[in-house]
Amino acid sequence: MSAPETTISEMPFSLEDSNDESVFLSKVAGRALRIAVLGLGHVGLPTALGFAEMGWEVLGADNDLAKVLRLTSGDPGFYEAGVEELLRKHLQTGLFKPVEDLGAAIRSASIVFICVGTPQHENGEADLSQVESVARTIAQNLNGYKLIVEKSTVPAVTAKWIQRTIHRYASGGNGKSSSGSHAVAFDVASNPEFLQEGSAVDNVFHPDRVVCGVESERASRILTAMYGPLQRPIITTDLNTAELTKHASNSFLAMKISFINMVADICEAIGADVTKVAQGIGMDPRIGSAFFQAGIGFGGYCLPKDLRAFIHLADSYGVDFSLLKEIEAINQRRVEVLIKKVRQALWVLRDKVIGVLGLAFKPGTDDIREAPSLRVIRALLDEGARLQLYDPKAMPNVQRILPAEEGRIRYCQTPYEAARAAQALLVLTEWNEFRDLDLHRIRELMEVPVIVDGRNVFAPEQVHRAGFEYLSVGR
Ligand code: UGA
């Protein structure tokens, strides 16, 4: 595999001019500057394509050559509604160009977004090695004023570290800061991303709010000019506040889910309906109805990881935020709660054939990172069950980590195939297509008519009418 030829044309204006703030700002207003987006994953790619759609020339840089080649051929590499269309469109318009050379992308851009991955260490702490590495690459390629925007989800004070790292390495190790006579000026901003997988493209164009953490008027003006056309509220803060807003936002969402899941358990214990309770409390505008779907818990790459990172941050500053730990503990227990229901219906699980509908961590994506379904599947396999799995998008990803195995794991082409001869059918992701299933047909196909619905996809009366034993969550 060889690197594609990355011909990055001359900047539309001289980088020497870039230190002149008024020239820079007028170029921002006219989108006559180039943006570099470093890291082309679930955040970086929709972000880069969003800016291209807004008329910016965007270099998407990623040091994974296979990814760059794939993107160049028009394949995003993951499923996200609208991304492939935008990718193909802007490869055509030339406004989006995937490149492998981060340094070249940085040199020829004036605004640089950091969207690299921030995985986590065993102890929940964020692994910031990729962020640190791109900060050094930025430092080594500073050839004029640049605004460096941190978009990856990172613990508070990371932007300060990016700033410090760029100062340190930009001055060739002599410690001269950008305010020093020979150093090149730059600003670091924190602009956390709030996009949700499954609706990422829509979120890019219609964010609920744009949070801009800045330390200079210039950075604030540039970001305001960039996001102004979206006509959404812009909240300008300092760097740490912007980063903390992201921590707090994801942790609050996680708290709502764990809260409603515990309410669901109480509903089951006393005979009440959690969907009605959620409706009843959610209509209070002080509470809000979003993120009140009881189920098998939250997964994905963000909520679980960000919650752990926030716990780690609070601990490392000596702040006793034990509420966060309880949110996580409740979430961990959700899978066991579901498995208990399966046992309640089937008694012994060994050699039972169980159909599973839904593997992605949520609908609208093929992402299975920290998907609760995987934990359910592993628990069922540990008990000796035989599984027939189906998901509209995520099966190839699951197959890579759990290959088909005679008598244990079978991948099915349709939900009906997953139900065939099964003694229970589990719903683990609320894909819309499951809501429209022909339950009578499923009833005919199954050996024992049991549905364990981990996402409350069906109305109980509807399932009972079709002749099923039905266990759902909190009702
Ligand atoms: C989350 C946040 O919602 C975004 O605002 C944020 O930008 C993103 O993380 C990020 O940090 O990058 P995402 O990971 O795409 O977005 O997923 P969510 O839509 O938040 O769903 C997370 C999990 O919670 C899913 O497993 C979902 O099934 C579960 N969930 C969600 C529930 O169990 N109940 C609900 O009511 C809502």
Side-chain angles (χ1 to χ4, degrees):
M1 204 159 39
S2 63
E5 216 173 296
T6 50
T7 44
I8 300 175
S9 59
E10 283 300 302
M11 281 292 295
F13 83 116
S14 152
L15 278 166
E16 272 92 72
D17 292 346
S18 68
N19 286 320
D20 182 325
E21 186 178 336
S22 61
V23 174
F24 198 97
L25 274 168
S26 74
K27 299 284 175 185
V28 171
R31 290 160 208 191
L33 297 174
R34 202 178 269 146
I35 293 177
V37 174
L38 312 182
L40 295 172
H42 287 269
V43 169
L45 186 58
T47 301
L49 294 171
F51 282 124
E53 182 72 4
M54 289 178 222
W56 293 88
E57 194 184 340
V58 184
L59 292 168
D62 199 298
N63 55 16
D64 177 347
L65 176 58
K67 188 187 280 184
V68 170
L69 290 172
R70 203 176 52 220
L71 288 168
T72 308
S73 75
D75 174 4
F78 57 87
Y79 174 73
E80 175 69 52
V83 164
E84 186 167 340
E85 291 77 359
L86 274 185
L87 172 61
R88 289 178 184 271
K89 177 177 172 186
H90 290 298
L91 287 170
Q92 279 281 323
T93 61
L95 287 178
F96 175 68
K97 186 180 236 178
V99 297
E100 194 211 1
D101 186 343
L102 268 67
I106 294 161
R107 284 195 302 280
S108 77
S110 307
I111 301 166
V112 179
F113 281 84
I114 300 179
C115 297
V116 294
T118 52
Q120 65 181 343
H121 295 295
E122 287 274 296
N123 64 357
E125 188 186 359
D127 173 354
L128 297 173
S129 52
Q130 293 181 50
V131 176
E132 197 262 356
S133 163
V134 296
R136 273 189 286 136
T137 310
I138 291 168
Q140 286 147 7
N141 290 282
L142 265 190
N143 54 349
Y145 172 82
K146 291 181 203 296
L147 174 63
I148 316 299
V149 190
E150 159 205 272
K151 224 177 204 337
S152 302
T153 298
V154 290
V157 308
T158 301
K160 296 265 188 200
W161 270 108
I162 293 174
Q163 215 172 35
R164 204 175 296 168
T165 305
I166 298 177
H167 276 307
R168 189 171 283 163
Y169 292 93
S171 52
N174 66 7
K176 274 212 183 86
S177 75
S178 68
S179 54
S181 54
H182 302 299
V184 181
F186 66 93
D187 281 304
V188 171
S190 164
N191 172 219
E193 186 50 71
F194 297 102
L195 59 81
Q196 280 180 276
E197 286 182 35
S199 53
V201 171
D202 187 59
N203 298 152
V204 165
F205 299 117
H206 308 104
D208 298 318
R209 73 302 203 188
V210 178
V211 174
C212 300
V214 291
E215 278 200 340
S216 75
E217 273 298 316
R218 170 156 56 178
S220 170
R221 284 196 205 105
I222 295 170
L223 286 171
T224 305
M226 288 182 78
Y227 286 112
L230 293 179
Q231 298 189 308
R232 308 300 301 163
I234 297 176
I235 300 171
T236 304
T237 71
D238 58 57
L239 295 175
N240 285 350
T241 303
E243 290 169 330
L244 213 66
T245 306
K246 176 67 195 249
H247 276 302
S249 172
N250 273 0
S251 299
F252 195 87
L253 293 171
M255 179 178 75
K256 283 190 93 173
I257 300 170
S258 280
F259 181 84
I260 204 67
N261 280 333
M262 288 313 299
V263 173
D265 286 357
I266 304 226
C267 285
E268 280 177 33
I270 67 168
D273 182 343
V274 72
T275 55
K276 297 283 177 210
V277 176
Q279 200 181 5
I281 54 180
M283 279 184 178
D284 183 332
R286 292 170 304 173
I287 297 176
S289 56
F291 273 64
F292 264 155
Q293 276 176 53
I296 55 171
F298 55 83
Y301 192 58
C302 304
L303 256 49
K305 176 173 77 87
D306 295 353
L307 181 62
R308 275 177 228 129
F310 204 13
I311 291 172
H312 190 272
L313 184 85
D315 281 349
S316 62
Y317 281 86
V319 177
D320 181 7
F321 202 163
S322 53
L323 171 65
L324 298 178
K325 294 177 186 162
E326 194 50 38
I327 296 167
E328 197 199 3
I330 292 168
N331 197 50
Q332 286 296 326
R333 292 199 294 270
R334 297 317 293 169
V335 167
E336 185 50 31
V337 169
L338 183 99
I339 299 289
K340 267 193 198 140
K341 286 186 178 140
V342 185
R343 280 197 214 106
Q344 189 186 325
L346 299 184
W347 188 23
V348 173
L349 301 188
R350 176 157 300 280
D351 291 331
K352 294 277 163 64
V353 176
I354 297 178
V356 175
L357 302 185
L359 305 172
F361 84 95
K362 68 174 192 177
T365 175
D366 62 356
D367 198 344
I368 54 161
R369 290 175 295 178
E370 298 225 22
S373 66
L374 296 182
R375 290 176 46 226
V376 171
I377 288 171
R378 291 205 170 95
L380 293 173
L381 289 172
D382 284 349
E383 299 214 18
R386 299 157 62 164
L387 305 180
Q388 304 185 151
L389 310 177
Y390 172 78
D391 187 281
K393 295 284 179 201
M395 284 198 295
N397 286 339
V398 181
Q399 261 163 313
R400 268 192 280 279
I401 51 169
L402 283 172
E405 200 183 326
E406 181 71 33
R408 264 167 69 82
I409 306 174
R410 189 156 74 81
Y411 288 91
C412 303
Q413 293 311 308
T414 67
Y416 298 103
E417 195 186 327
R420 183 165 293 130
Q423 281 130 318
L425 189 63
L426 272 48
V427 183
L428 304 184
T429 314
E430 66 278 32
W431 285 97
N432 269 336
E433 70 168 75
F434 299 156
R435 298 182 206 279
D436 303 327
L437 287 174
D438 178 346
L439 290 177
H440 291 281
R441 185 173 160 204
I442 291 201
R443 163 82 185 80
E444 292 304 312
L445 286 167
M446 290 180 70
E447 192 177 305
V448 181
V450 170
I451 292 183
V452 181
D453 184 351
R455 297 290 188 178
N456 290 349
V457 162
F458 302 114
E461 320 77 61
Q462 171 199 13
V463 194
H464 288 140
R465 228 181 300 121
F468 285 92
E469 182 181 339
Y470 181 58
L471 295 99
S472 57
V473 183
R475 46 184 199 168

